[in-house]
Amino acid sequence: MRIEKHPILTFEKGETVTFTYNGTVYSGFKGEPIASALHANGVRTLGHTHDKHRPRGLYCAIGNCSSCLATVNGKPNVRICVEPLTKGMVVTQQNGRGVLKND
Amino acid sequence: MIKTDVAVIGGGPAGMCAAIEAANAGAKVIVFERNLSLGGQLVKQTHMFFGSQKQYASKRGFDISKILRDQISQNKNITVMTNATVIGMYEDGVLTIEHDNKYKKVLPRATVVATGASEKFLPFNNNDLPGIYGAGAVQTLMNVYGVKPGDQVVMVGAGNIGLIVSYQLMQAGVKVNAVIDAAPRIGGYLVHASKIRRMGVPILTSTTVKTAHGTECVEGVTLVKLDENWKEIPDSEFYLPCDNLCIAVGLSPLTELMWQIGIEMAYVPQLGGYVPKSNKNMQTSRPEVFVAGDASGVEEASSAMVEGRIAGLNAAKFLGFKTTDTDSKLADYFEQADSLRSGPVGEKIRAGLKLAELD
Ligand SMILES: Cc1cc2nc3c(=O)[nH]c(=O)nc-3n(C[C@H](O)[C@H](O)[C@H](O)COP(=O)(O)OP(=O)(O)OC[C@H]3O[C@@H](n4cnc5c(N)ncnc54)[C@H](O)[C@@H]3O)c2cc1C
């Protein structure tokens, strides 16, 4: 889903890194939002609601609406539409509210 | 406790312009931006701006953002804190922020709130399916990160954002199946509408969304025609396939911080919802708090920048930082704001601003 050619824009891309989403390995560009890397890989369903288990994707992509919350490296409720991707990140879909672990 | 003369909350076009003006008048300014870089919505705007030379006419939004960012980085009176979300505003003027995952306090002598707006949503069946995105999200994905939001889109909303984003989608190689709008007329500028019509995209007015279809992601949408009373016309439903339903039905100002300290607010539909009441100088009912850009009422980027300049100059003036050209600059900015809102296109905004006037 990456744009190959654009009449006016060029996209600065960071180094290619791999990360996992629900255990599957994907690649993306370091520094882009996690949700953008997932979207580029065709992954658009990012979670399910706690009560009715309805699928959730992103909505605003600028960190306002909280529709894209996921667990990143064990930390729940991360807004992955604005959280930059880093090498080796472990991202898991969150079904419901997520669980905070004690350190 | 971090201390400064002026705190600017939000580093979009309004906040950047406010910071530049206040700093040039002599005030020490800190800009707090929750993102990792400045620019706000400007960074995703690929169209050329209208207006006059002073408002960067015929430059593209992302280039204007670079110009302002450069001016800020060269200005010794401005400190920029990114990854810094202002989470609280208190009666005694203290701001609380989350900066790089740490909780901090700030005591400014004056504050400019330039937090922008958030996208509105639309009620219809299955409106929560993945693949149903706000127009800003679509712009962000494709213009900032180079990712297509889908392969075929139905655009909901024929205002300027809906029309411009449809054009941008086609530039990115995405098919736009239709632009629809519940209103009987196209809300955006006709130049934009003609451009996308020429590219073969139908613009269907008096049409709204009834149901989105799909199990894990949107796969299509049932639309329905509306009569002159905005009632659904029986048996007028029709189906269009899409893997992205783009919602461009307007924005509402982000005003939570101003509610927190009891600033006087008014409900003004023309400006997108609740807005702080303000005077001509962009000063709110708390004299040390100024407001600019979408947070003061949703307009567009050019007026956000002018409002930012007015708010920044006045915040500095309020603290006693006044230069020989403060008043002539202000007069110029008032005139620019008026001209941006002149004519029939500015009618709605002018009516809205009247309702939001602080008496
Ligand atoms: C998604 C979207 C797309 C748009 N597209 C167009 C377009 O194509 N053309 C056009 O003319 N207008 C467009 N607009 C309309 C908009 O009015 C202007 O373009 C302009 O960006 C408004 O400037 P601003 O500085 O008020 O707000 P913004 O540009 O939204 O900037 C606000 C900034 O404040 C930051 N912020 C918010 N809350 C906090 C906080 N608590 N702490 C710290 N920082 C915070 C945000 O991260 C953001 O960077 C769009 C608006 C949106 C929301």
Side-chain angles (χ1 to χ4, degrees):
Chain A
M1 303 278 271
R2 299 267 179 203
I3 298 171
E4 301 302 337
K5 259 198 345 252
H6 198 286
I8 46 180
L9 292 172
T10 47
F11 302 102
E12 280 168 40
K13 290 174 178 148
E15 150 203 5
T16 301
V17 293
T18 56
F19 66 104
T20 65
Y21 180 66
N22 294 338
T24 308
V25 180
Y26 292 102
S27 66
F29 299 118
K30 189 177 167 194
E32 72 175 330
I34 299 168
S36 143
L38 284 171
H39 209 288
N41 283 290
V43 179
R44 302 196 293 160
T45 304
L46 305 174
H48 289 85
T49 60
H50 52 84
D51 187 13
K52 298 213 158 58
H53 210 71
R54 293 179 65 86
R56 276 287 173 273
L58 60 87
Y59 183 71
C60 79
I62 53 172
N64 280 337
C65 79
S66 302
S67 184
C68 65
L69 302 182
T71 302
V72 178
N73 294 339
K75 190 175 155 194
N77 300 326
V78 175
R79 295 169 305 169
I80 60 171
C81 75
V82 289
E83 187 68 24
L85 181 68
T86 58
K87 192 175 162 186
M89 252 179 177
V90 179
V91 185
T92 43
Q93 196 177 89
Q94 204 173 295
N95 295 315
R97 293 191 182 92
V99 188
L100 264 184
K101 280 200 221 74
N102 294 326
D103 290 324
Chain B
M1 185 88 81
I2 303 167
K3 290 192 176 158
T4 184
D5 294 325
V6 178
V8 175
I9 310 176
M16 289 195 286
C17 286
I20 292 168
E21 291 293 341
N24 286 345
K28 291 266 180 246
V29 181
I30 305 180
V31 182
F32 300 97
E33 168 55 54
R34 66 176 174 192
N35 286 339
L36 298 178
S37 58
L38 297 178
Q41 312 316 321
L42 266 186
V43 300
K44 62 196 71 161
Q45 298 180 13
T46 54
H47 57 283
M48 293 196 196
F49 277 53
F50 300 138
S52 71
Q53 218 53 45
K54 283 181 187 158
Q55 293 135 19
Y56 309 100
S58 43
K59 286 209 162 56
R60 300 184 195 277
F62 57 87
D63 288 326
I64 300 174
S65 168
K66 273 189 214 127
I67 296 174
L68 295 174
R69 262 198 305 234
D70 285 348
Q71 287 177 10
I72 286 180
S73 63
Q74 283 156 18
N75 195 314
K76 291 202 177 62
N77 277 347
I78 306 177
T79 307
V80 175
M81 289 171 78
T82 54
N83 203 10
T85 308
V86 177
I87 49 182
M89 218 168 154
Y90 293 86
E91 295 280 319
D92 53 2
V94 171
L95 306 178
T96 52
I97 61 169
E98 190 201 329
H99 180 222
D100 291 337
N101 282 326
K102 285 196 191 70
Y103 182 76
K104 297 177 182 173
K105 288 183 189 170
V106 186
L107 183 62
R109 294 168 61 216
T111 299
V112 178
V113 182
T115 43
S118 74
E119 287 193 89
K120 286 190 180 163
F121 207 51
L122 206 60
F124 54 85
N125 295 329
N126 293 332
N127 68 357
D128 57 346
L129 276 176
I132 302 178
Y133 298 157
V138 165
Q139 264 189 329
T140 308
L141 276 178
M142 68 178 174
N143 294 350
V144 183
Y145 301 111
V147 174
K148 289 185 197 177
D151 290 318
Q152 45 175 344
V153 174
V154 170
M155 175 67 65
V156 183
N160 277 325
I161 293 196
L163 297 174
I164 292 174
V165 173
S166 296
Y167 182 70
Q168 294 173 354
L169 279 161
M170 290 184 274
Q171 285 182 316
V174 177
K175 188 164 182 287
V176 180
N177 286 341
V179 177
I180 68 154
D181 201 306
R185 273 185 308 275
I186 293 170
Y189 297 149
L190 284 180
V191 271
H192 296 318
S194 324
K195 203 148 117 184
I196 64 166
R197 268 196 179 131
R198 277 200 300 277
M199 293 171 82
V201 179
I203 302 177
L204 313 172
T205 50
S206 297
T207 305
T208 192
V209 183
K210 191 159 176 140
T211 306
H213 305 279
T215 43
E216 283 289 286
C217 277
V218 66
E219 290 159 17
V221 61
T222 295
L223 304 166
V224 63
K225 301 299 279 181
L226 301 176
D227 66 17
E228 58 273 23
N229 300 315
W230 302 65
K231 287 241 158 59
E232 291 181 8
I233 300 175
D235 300 323
S236 68
E237 288 92 352
F238 60 105
Y239 178 87
L240 284 180
C242 62
D243 59 358
N244 177 210
L245 186 64
C246 184
I247 312 288
V249 294
L251 304 163
S252 23
L254 283 173
T255 53
E256 292 88 341
L257 294 169
M258 293 180 282
W259 283 106
Q260 275 182 19
I261 49 161
I263 280 172
E264 238 181 274
M265 308 289 284
Y267 184 74
V268 183
Q270 293 95 328
L271 299 178
Y274 276 101
V275 294
K277 287 189 153 191
S278 65
N279 64 20
K280 189 170 151 161
N281 294 321
M282 303 310 297
Q283 191 172 29
T284 67
S285 60
R286 295 270 309 221
E288 79 286 10
V289 179
F290 297 77
V291 66
D294 281 357
S296 72
V298 174
E299 282 185 71
E300 39 74 56
S302 307
S303 47
M305 289 188 274
V306 176
E307 281 186 348
R309 294 190 184 280
I310 294 172
L313 265 178
N314 276 307
K317 192 173 159 185
F318 174 77
L319 299 177
F321 298 99
K322 197 169 178 270
T323 62
T324 45
D325 56 2
T326 295
D327 289 330
S328 61
K329 273 186 170 175
L330 272 175
D332 179 25
Y333 298 147
F334 288 139
E335 202 183 298
Q336 289 188 40
D338 285 347
S339 100
L340 285 168
R341 294 162 181 153
S342 64
V345 276
E347 206 176 295
K348 192 173 111 188
I349 296 295
R350 293 199 301 274
L353 290 173
K354 254 209 183 81
L355 296 173
E357 244 167 53
L358 184 70
D359 28 50

